[in-house]
Amino acid sequence: KDRDRYYKEASRLYEQAAKLNPDDPSAQNGLGNVQYARGELDAAITAYQRALELDPSYASAQHDLALAYEGKIAADPANAAAWRQKALDAWQKTYALAPQDPGFSAEYILTIGQHIHWLQTQR
């Protein structure tokens, strides 16, 4: 119950931030993160995509989009191959952007490479 209340409030605040500043990619990414945490993958994907439209070099949004696509592999098995390809593309973009983002450690960049390798072997 507390978690639901927290997510609902966080969602409200990010939606308000996005309305006040529609060109702020971090508000869109934050909204996507709340939706992802609530299991609302389609809404999260839309928010992440909007963040990336606003800032194509936003490594965290690209990373979060990749995770959401991976979530869709299990949530939508009938279309798993398409979701796998989308996840692979998103991880590859994250891998390219991450070295310029201080939020990504060298160790985590290796983890991103492992996601890419795993998805390539799932074909």
Side-chain angles (χ1 to χ4, degrees):
K1 290 257 188 213
D2 285 342
R3 186 182 302 177
D4 289 341
R5 200 166 43 246
Y6 166 78
Y7 286 144
K8 193 173 206 173
E9 178 65 6
S11 183
R12 186 186 70 74
L13 291 171
Y14 279 118
E15 286 171 8
Q16 184 177 9
K19 283 179 189 159
L20 291 172
N21 189 356
D23 296 330
D24 180 7
S26 63
Q28 292 296 325
N29 198 63
L31 181 59
N33 288 339
V34 172
Q35 293 164 330
Y36 178 84
R38 294 176 79 178
E40 300 167 1
L41 295 176
D42 293 328
I45 288 167
T46 299
Y48 297 141
Q49 288 171 332
R50 175 75 177 127
L52 288 163
E53 286 170 17
L54 295 168
D55 181 0
S57 67
Y58 193 174
S60 292
Q62 193 66 60
H63 168 271
D64 298 342
L65 179 62
L67 287 174
Y69 285 149
E70 279 192 2
K72 289 294 286 185
I73 295 168
D76 183 13
N79 296 302
W83 292 117
R84 246 191 321 277
Q85 186 58 53
K86 287 178 180 277
L88 178 60
D89 292 345
W91 279 121
Q92 288 171 330
K93 289 177 185 171
T94 304
Y95 191 78
L97 292 170
Q100 291 80 44
D101 186 318
F104 290 89
S105 68
E107 292 80 16
Y108 195 75
I109 293 171
L110 290 175
T111 300
I112 294 168
Q114 291 169 342
H115 279 269
I116 292 168
H117 177 75
W118 178 80
L119 287 163
Q120 289 172 332
T121 62
Q122 298 302 305
R123 295 173 183 224

